Amino acid sequence: MSVRVRFAPSPTGFLHIGGARTALFNWLYARHTGGTFILRIEDTDTARNTQEAVEVILTGLRWLGLDWDEGPVESRADGPSKGDRSPYFQSQRGHIYQKRVQELKDKGFAYEDEGAVKFRMQREPIVIPDLIVGDVTRLLTDREELEPDFVIVRSDGQPVFHLVNVVDDLEMQITHVLRGEDHLTNTAKHIALFRAFGVEPPKYAHIPLILNIDGTKMSKRDKGASLTAYMAEGYVPEAVVNYLYLLGWSPKGNREIVPMEEVIQLFDLPQILRHNARFDMDKLQWMNWEYIRAMSPTRFNELAIPALHKAGLSTSGFDSSYIHEALATCKEKVKLLSDVPAFTDFYFVPELAYDPDAAAKYFVAGNKGRLLKLRDDFAELTNFDADLLQTTLKKVAAELGIKVGELVHPLRLACTGKTIGPSLYHLMTVLGKDCVLKRLDEAVARMG
Ligand code: GLU
């Protein structure tokens, strides 16, 4: 039988990093087996669920590249694309739950109790055969011992989580339920419900939790808990995905950077680690840097240009080869995409804003003659190539009898407004002769 898995988030307005990992593991398992990955929004709690909260989930999954295989295709002017399917919404499936509740009543497994509907829970302990943690025997709590039956439809008519979750797994013919270990306490109830419907339960695989680096439980407020924060802070989706699959799964040989295509081939449930994973922000940052350095220039542009726009820099009016060359000078240097604007803004602004401390230090009368000489020698060049610029600068320093650094710092400030940034000679090549000469004139005009 072909594998059918699902990610079934409740829209809380937040996509927890643990939820993102659950989605990823389900998706990987579907892709590994050639099965089907379903997205089901568990939004029966109408008081809490909003459209924005659903959007947070959809945007997050799309950002990670986790496309789902079923659900109506949303029509778009430019034609449907795979990621534009609508997920399943439990809020639209009320009639199915009603029918199933009736079935339980008819079979004697459910009964009315003070306006609510209760499920007649089996009294014997239930063994959960879990593919990750092994067999788990769930003993009843004292309260459940006294009252093992539980509500499946509230007195206001709302079906509760246990019911809708099971009915949908059954209706959608889910073969494997991969979900967070925090759901292990619900699974006995779910197995009992499946049995009451006369259906074999799916296979369960409960994924250990993600803890903070210090071993404490990750809460919503912890830094690093929300996927949206990574999207906003300039992380690269492929790095986040790579980091997430290492949180609880490990290929042989302790490899860390593993391309997605390979993970799809290797991923299987027995390799999901049984112990809780610890979230290591430094490692994620390192991985992000590695990904940026290794990615193709085209992919880098695809991610870096929106980062520029987000920071309020406009790239319109610049031709694409200029933008491309400008960005290429910072690719090796930035750790986060959100670092790109500060590294490259001088390429895209008509007027530089100089770092005031650096200007006080380098835009002094004593540097005026030196920069003017440099300007004149640069003006002579017919080819504004990085090596030639460097040779010229060295020659001018030698003629003036000063160290190269004494020219480099004011020159960098004149060209970029800052003291750090891309390689000086390369950035001058990208800016081009006219711009560099103009910026030197502007700097010299400030030197008393
Ligand atoms: N709506 C549940 C949650 O967000 C889904 C649990 C499950 O995957 O079965 O935790």
Side-chain angles (χ1 to χ4, degrees), residues 160-183:
V160 307
F161 163 70
H162 301 302
L163 178 86
V164 295
N165 187 266
V166 165
V167 167
D168 278 341
D169 283 346
L170 188 164
E171 295 271 345
M172 295 174 185
Q173 298 178 21
I174 299 303
T175 57
H176 294 74
V177 169
L178 273 74
R179 60 183 174 192
E181 206 178 74
D182 46 331
H183 281 290

PDB file of all heavy atoms in Angstrom, residues 160-183:
ATOM      1  N   VAL A 160     -14.632  17.355  19.126  1.00  0.00           N
ATOM      2  CA  VAL A 160     -13.325  17.657  19.729  1.00  0.00           C
ATOM      3  C   VAL A 160     -12.174  17.007  18.950  1.00  0.00           C
ATOM      4  O   VAL A 160     -12.374  16.123  18.133  1.00  0.00           O
ATOM      5  CB  VAL A 160     -13.247  17.256  21.229  1.00  0.00           C
ATOM      6  CG1 VAL A 160     -14.384  17.857  22.034  1.00  0.00           C
ATOM      7  CG2 VAL A 160     -13.216  15.756  21.374  1.00  0.00           C
ATOM      8  N   PHE A 161     -10.992  17.478  19.281  1.00  0.00           N
ATOM      9  CA  PHE A 161      -9.757  17.060  18.597  1.00  0.00           C
ATOM     10  C   PHE A 161      -9.657  15.548  18.361  1.00  0.00           C
ATOM     11  O   PHE A 161      -9.399  15.113  17.240  1.00  0.00           O
ATOM     12  CB  PHE A 161      -8.552  17.589  19.399  1.00  0.00           C
ATOM     13  CG  PHE A 161      -7.257  16.913  19.066  1.00  0.00           C
ATOM     14  CD1 PHE A 161      -6.649  17.121  17.837  1.00  0.00           C
ATOM     15  CD2 PHE A 161      -6.645  16.054  19.968  1.00  0.00           C
ATOM     16  CE1 PHE A 161      -5.449  16.493  17.513  1.00  0.00           C
ATOM     17  CE2 PHE A 161      -5.450  15.417  19.654  1.00  0.00           C
ATOM     18  CZ  PHE A 161      -4.856  15.633  18.431  1.00  0.00           C
ATOM     19  N   HIS A 162      -9.832  14.741  19.435  1.00  0.00           N
ATOM     20  CA  HIS A 162      -9.611  13.292  19.275  1.00  0.00           C
ATOM     21  C   HIS A 162     -10.481  12.724  18.158  1.00  0.00           C
ATOM     22  O   HIS A 162     -10.027  11.926  17.346  1.00  0.00           O
ATOM     23  CB  HIS A 162      -9.937  12.555  20.584  1.00  0.00           C
ATOM     24  CG  HIS A 162      -9.120  13.017  21.735  1.00  0.00           C
ATOM     25  ND1 HIS A 162      -7.754  12.967  21.740  1.00  0.00           N
ATOM     26  CD2 HIS A 162      -9.481  13.577  22.922  1.00  0.00           C
ATOM     27  CE1 HIS A 162      -7.293  13.459  22.879  1.00  0.00           C
ATOM     28  NE2 HIS A 162      -8.324  13.846  23.610  1.00  0.00           N
ATOM     29  N   LEU A 163     -11.719  13.145  18.134  1.00  0.00           N
ATOM     30  CA  LEU A 163     -12.632  12.605  17.129  1.00  0.00           C
ATOM     31  C   LEU A 163     -12.231  13.035  15.717  1.00  0.00           C
ATOM     32  O   LEU A 163     -12.064  12.202  14.825  1.00  0.00           O
ATOM     33  CB  LEU A 163     -14.071  13.049  17.415  1.00  0.00           C
ATOM     34  CG  LEU A 163     -15.030  12.529  16.341  1.00  0.00           C
ATOM     35  CD1 LEU A 163     -15.517  11.135  16.671  1.00  0.00           C
ATOM     36  CD2 LEU A 163     -16.191  13.472  16.117  1.00  0.00           C
ATOM     37  N   VAL A 164     -12.080  14.336  15.533  1.00  0.00           N
ATOM     38  CA  VAL A 164     -11.845  14.824  14.167  1.00  0.00           C
ATOM     39  C   VAL A 164     -10.495  14.353  13.630  1.00  0.00           C
ATOM     40  O   VAL A 164     -10.349  14.053  12.446  1.00  0.00           O
ATOM     41  CB  VAL A 164     -11.980  16.365  14.066  1.00  0.00           C
ATOM     42  CG1 VAL A 164     -13.408  16.777  14.353  1.00  0.00           C
ATOM     43  CG2 VAL A 164     -11.018  17.085  14.991  1.00  0.00           C
ATOM     44  N   ASN A 165      -9.529  14.273  14.518  1.00  0.00           N
ATOM     45  CA  ASN A 165      -8.198  13.822  14.122  1.00  0.00           C
ATOM     46  C   ASN A 165      -8.267  12.381  13.607  1.00  0.00           C
ATOM     47  O   ASN A 165      -7.731  12.051  12.544  1.00  0.00           O
ATOM     48  CB  ASN A 165      -7.285  13.961  15.360  1.00  0.00           C
ATOM     49  CG  ASN A 165      -5.828  13.684  15.068  1.00  0.00           C
ATOM     50  OD1 ASN A 165      -5.377  12.566  15.245  1.00  0.00           O
ATOM     51  ND2 ASN A 165      -5.088  14.694  14.626  1.00  0.00           N
ATOM     52  N   VAL A 166      -8.982  11.533  14.350  1.00  0.00           N
ATOM     53  CA  VAL A 166      -9.083  10.126  13.948  1.00  0.00           C
ATOM     54  C   VAL A 166      -9.958   9.965  12.700  1.00  0.00           C
ATOM     55  O   VAL A 166      -9.594   9.245  11.766  1.00  0.00           O
ATOM     56  CB  VAL A 166      -9.619   9.281  15.128  1.00  0.00           C
ATOM     57  CG1 VAL A 166     -10.076   7.903  14.650  1.00  0.00           C
ATOM     58  CG2 VAL A 166      -8.557   9.155  16.197  1.00  0.00           C
ATOM     59  N   VAL A 167     -11.092  10.652  12.695  1.00  0.00           N
ATOM     60  CA  VAL A 167     -11.980  10.513  11.535  1.00  0.00           C
ATOM     61  C   VAL A 167     -11.242  10.919  10.258  1.00  0.00           C
ATOM     62  O   VAL A 167     -11.304  10.237   9.239  1.00  0.00           O
ATOM     63  CB  VAL A 167     -13.274  11.341  11.715  1.00  0.00           C
ATOM     64  CG1 VAL A 167     -14.038  11.456  10.406  1.00  0.00           C
ATOM     65  CG2 VAL A 167     -14.153  10.709  12.785  1.00  0.00           C
ATOM     66  N   ASP A 168     -10.481  12.002  10.340  1.00  0.00           N
ATOM     67  CA  ASP A 168      -9.783  12.431   9.134  1.00  0.00           C
ATOM     68  C   ASP A 168      -8.643  11.485   8.754  1.00  0.00           C
ATOM     69  O   ASP A 168      -8.434  11.211   7.576  1.00  0.00           O
ATOM     70  CB  ASP A 168      -9.258  13.864   9.302  1.00  0.00           C
ATOM     71  CG  ASP A 168     -10.361  14.871   9.033  1.00  0.00           C
ATOM     72  OD1 ASP A 168     -11.357  14.490   8.397  1.00  0.00           O
ATOM     73  OD2 ASP A 168     -10.222  16.035   9.453  1.00  0.00           O
ATOM     74  N   ASP A 169      -7.923  10.989   9.749  1.00  0.00           N
ATOM     75  CA  ASP A 169      -6.862  10.032   9.408  1.00  0.00           C
ATOM     76  C   ASP A 169      -7.468   8.804   8.738  1.00  0.00           C
ATOM     77  O   ASP A 169      -6.885   8.236   7.810  1.00  0.00           O
ATOM     78  CB  ASP A 169      -6.073   9.635  10.671  1.00  0.00           C
ATOM     79  CG  ASP A 169      -5.094  10.722  11.089  1.00  0.00           C
ATOM     80  OD1 ASP A 169      -4.840  11.639  10.275  1.00  0.00           O
ATOM     81  OD2 ASP A 169      -4.579  10.676  12.228  1.00  0.00           O
ATOM     82  N   LEU A 170      -8.665   8.459   9.200  1.00  0.00           N
ATOM     83  CA  LEU A 170      -9.354   7.304   8.630  1.00  0.00           C
ATOM     84  C   LEU A 170      -9.876   7.616   7.225  1.00  0.00           C
ATOM     85  O   LEU A 170      -9.596   6.895   6.264  1.00  0.00           O
ATOM     86  CB  LEU A 170     -10.489   6.991   9.601  1.00  0.00           C
ATOM     87  CG  LEU A 170     -11.368   5.771   9.515  1.00  0.00           C
ATOM     88  CD1 LEU A 170     -12.066   5.629  10.860  1.00  0.00           C
ATOM     89  CD2 LEU A 170     -12.383   5.876   8.432  1.00  0.00           C
ATOM     90  N   GLU A 171     -10.583   8.727   7.109  1.00  0.00           N
ATOM     91  CA  GLU A 171     -11.167   9.105   5.802  1.00  0.00           C
ATOM     92  C   GLU A 171     -10.074   9.356   4.767  1.00  0.00           C
ATOM     93  O   GLU A 171     -10.244   9.079   3.592  1.00  0.00           O
ATOM     94  CB  GLU A 171     -12.004  10.391   5.934  1.00  0.00           C
ATOM     95  CG  GLU A 171     -13.230  10.248   6.822  1.00  0.00           C
ATOM     96  CD  GLU A 171     -14.463   9.775   6.055  1.00  0.00           C
ATOM     97  OE1 GLU A 171     -14.443   9.826   4.817  1.00  0.00           O
ATOM     98  OE2 GLU A 171     -15.427   9.355   6.717  1.00  0.00           O
ATOM     99  N   MET A 172      -8.983   9.940   5.214  1.00  0.00           N
ATOM    100  CA  MET A 172      -7.904  10.276   4.273  1.00  0.00           C
ATOM    101  C   MET A 172      -6.946   9.110   4.076  1.00  0.00           C
ATOM    102  O   MET A 172      -5.915   9.253   3.428  1.00  0.00           O
ATOM    103  CB  MET A 172      -7.154  11.528   4.765  1.00  0.00           C
ATOM    104  CG  MET A 172      -8.043  12.750   4.760  1.00  0.00           C
ATOM    105  SD  MET A 172      -7.256  14.199   5.505  1.00  0.00           S
ATOM    106  CE  MET A 172      -8.628  15.355   5.447  1.00  0.00           C
ATOM    107  N   GLN A 173      -7.280   7.994   4.695  1.00  0.00           N
ATOM    108  CA  GLN A 173      -6.497   6.749   4.552  1.00  0.00           C
ATOM    109  C   GLN A 173      -5.015   6.942   4.852  1.00  0.00           C
ATOM    110  O   GLN A 173      -4.141   6.517   4.081  1.00  0.00           O
ATOM    111  CB  GLN A 173      -6.707   6.176   3.160  1.00  0.00           C
ATOM    112  CG  GLN A 173      -8.159   5.807   2.942  1.00  0.00           C
ATOM    113  CD  GLN A 173      -8.424   5.263   1.547  1.00  0.00           C
ATOM    114  OE1 GLN A 173      -7.529   4.798   0.862  1.00  0.00           O
ATOM    115  NE2 GLN A 173      -9.675   5.328   1.138  1.00  0.00           N
ATOM    116  N   ILE A 174      -4.795   7.629   5.967  1.00  0.00           N
ATOM    117  CA  ILE A 174      -3.423   7.874   6.402  1.00  0.00           C
ATOM    118  C   ILE A 174      -2.797   6.549   6.847  1.00  0.00           C
ATOM    119  O   ILE A 174      -3.402   5.812   7.627  1.00  0.00           O
ATOM    120  CB  ILE A 174      -3.418   8.908   7.560  1.00  0.00           C
ATOM    121  CG1 ILE A 174      -4.004  10.244   7.088  1.00  0.00           C
ATOM    122  CG2 ILE A 174      -2.031   9.074   8.156  1.00  0.00           C
ATOM    123  CD1 ILE A 174      -3.311  10.883   5.899  1.00  0.00           C
ATOM    124  N   THR A 175      -1.598   6.273   6.341  1.00  0.00           N
ATOM    125  CA  THR A 175      -0.954   5.000   6.692  1.00  0.00           C
ATOM    126  C   THR A 175       0.017   5.154   7.858  1.00  0.00           C
ATOM    127  O   THR A 175       0.256   4.210   8.603  1.00  0.00           O
ATOM    128  CB  THR A 175      -0.166   4.438   5.487  1.00  0.00           C
ATOM    129  OG1 THR A 175       0.794   5.431   5.070  1.00  0.00           O
ATOM    130  CG2 THR A 175      -1.096   4.103   4.329  1.00  0.00           C
ATOM    131  N   HIS A 176       0.609   6.361   8.002  1.00  0.00           N
ATOM    132  CA  HIS A 176       1.596   6.585   9.062  1.00  0.00           C
ATOM    133  C   HIS A 176       1.330   7.941   9.701  1.00  0.00           C
ATOM    134  O   HIS A 176       1.230   8.935   8.982  1.00  0.00           O
ATOM    135  CB  HIS A 176       3.015   6.611   8.490  1.00  0.00           C
ATOM    136  CG  HIS A 176       3.454   5.303   7.923  1.00  0.00           C
ATOM    137  ND1 HIS A 176       2.975   4.825   6.725  1.00  0.00           N
ATOM    138  CD2 HIS A 176       4.331   4.371   8.390  1.00  0.00           C
ATOM    139  CE1 HIS A 176       3.530   3.640   6.478  1.00  0.00           C
ATOM    140  NE2 HIS A 176       4.353   3.352   7.471  1.00  0.00           N
ATOM    141  N   VAL A 177       1.232   7.942  11.015  1.00  0.00           N
ATOM    142  CA  VAL A 177       1.075   9.211  11.726  1.00  0.00           C
ATOM    143  C   VAL A 177       2.417   9.553  12.370  1.00  0.00           C
ATOM    144  O   VAL A 177       2.855   8.905  13.310  1.00  0.00           O
ATOM    145  CB  VAL A 177      -0.038   9.117  12.793  1.00  0.00           C
ATOM    146  CG1 VAL A 177      -0.023  10.333  13.706  1.00  0.00           C
ATOM    147  CG2 VAL A 177      -1.397   8.973  12.121  1.00  0.00           C
ATOM    148  N   LEU A 178       3.082  10.549  11.786  1.00  0.00           N
ATOM    149  CA  LEU A 178       4.340  11.032  12.371  1.00  0.00           C
ATOM    150  C   LEU A 178       4.005  12.344  13.052  1.00  0.00           C
ATOM    151  O   LEU A 178       3.635  13.318  12.376  1.00  0.00           O
ATOM    152  CB  LEU A 178       5.341  11.351  11.259  1.00  0.00           C
ATOM    153  CG  LEU A 178       6.240  10.266  10.713  1.00  0.00           C
ATOM    154  CD1 LEU A 178       5.461   9.315   9.843  1.00  0.00           C
ATOM    155  CD2 LEU A 178       7.353  10.909   9.899  1.00  0.00           C
ATOM    156  N   ARG A 179       4.137  12.382  14.343  1.00  0.00           N
ATOM    157  CA  ARG A 179       3.817  13.625  15.047  1.00  0.00           C
ATOM    158  C   ARG A 179       4.655  13.723  16.305  1.00  0.00           C
ATOM    159  O   ARG A 179       5.337  12.774  16.696  1.00  0.00           O
ATOM    160  CB  ARG A 179       2.329  13.689  15.368  1.00  0.00           C
ATOM    161  CG  ARG A 179       1.830  12.565  16.253  1.00  0.00           C
ATOM    162  CD  ARG A 179       0.321  12.692  16.443  1.00  0.00           C
ATOM    163  NE  ARG A 179      -0.226  11.559  17.169  1.00  0.00           N
ATOM    164  CZ  ARG A 179      -1.521  11.296  17.266  1.00  0.00           C
ATOM    165  NH1 ARG A 179      -2.400  12.082  16.676  1.00  0.00           N
ATOM    166  NH2 ARG A 179      -1.935  10.265  17.955  1.00  0.00           N
ATOM    167  N   GLY A 180       4.605  14.869  16.947  1.00  0.00           N
ATOM    168  CA  GLY A 180       5.428  15.133  18.124  1.00  0.00           C
ATOM    169  C   GLY A 180       5.082  14.177  19.266  1.00  0.00           C
ATOM    170  O   GLY A 180       3.948  13.728  19.409  1.00  0.00           O
ATOM    171  N   GLU A 181       6.108  13.908  20.060  1.00  0.00           N
ATOM    172  CA  GLU A 181       5.952  12.987  21.184  1.00  0.00           C
ATOM    173  C   GLU A 181       4.917  13.477  22.189  1.00  0.00           C
ATOM    174  O   GLU A 181       4.366  12.691  22.959  1.00  0.00           O
ATOM    175  CB  GLU A 181       7.315  12.874  21.868  1.00  0.00           C
ATOM    176  CG  GLU A 181       7.544  11.601  22.601  1.00  0.00           C
ATOM    177  CD  GLU A 181       8.942  11.594  23.196  1.00  0.00           C
ATOM    178  OE1 GLU A 181       9.171  12.296  24.201  1.00  0.00           O
ATOM    179  OE2 GLU A 181       9.795  10.915  22.625  1.00  0.00           O
ATOM    180  N   ASP A 182       4.648  14.775  22.187  1.00  0.00           N
ATOM    181  CA  ASP A 182       3.650  15.312  23.107  1.00  0.00           C
ATOM    182  C   ASP A 182       2.264  14.722  22.830  1.00  0.00           C
ATOM    183  O   ASP A 182       1.380  14.802  23.677  1.00  0.00           O
ATOM    184  CB  ASP A 182       3.607  16.854  23.039  1.00  0.00           C
ATOM    185  CG  ASP A 182       3.585  17.393  21.617  1.00  0.00           C
ATOM    186  OD1 ASP A 182       4.137  16.724  20.719  1.00  0.00           O
ATOM    187  OD2 ASP A 182       3.015  18.469  21.401  1.00  0.00           O
ATOM    188  N   HIS A 183       2.083  14.106  21.664  1.00  0.00           N
ATOM    189  CA  HIS A 183       0.784  13.503  21.351  1.00  0.00           C
ATOM    190  C   HIS A 183       0.675  12.052  21.794  1.00  0.00           C
ATOM    191  O   HIS A 183      -0.397  11.456  21.676  1.00  0.00           O
ATOM    192  CB  HIS A 183       0.491  13.618  19.855  1.00  0.00           C
ATOM    193  CG  HIS A 183       0.001  14.968  19.473  1.00  0.00           C
ATOM    194  ND1 HIS A 183      -1.249  15.428  19.833  1.00  0.00           N
ATOM    195  CD2 HIS A 183       0.584  15.987  18.806  1.00  0.00           C
ATOM    196  CE1 HIS A 183      -1.409  16.653  19.383  1.00  0.00           C
ATOM    197  NE2 HIS A 183      -0.311  17.030  18.771  1.00  0.00           N
TER     198      HIS A 183
END
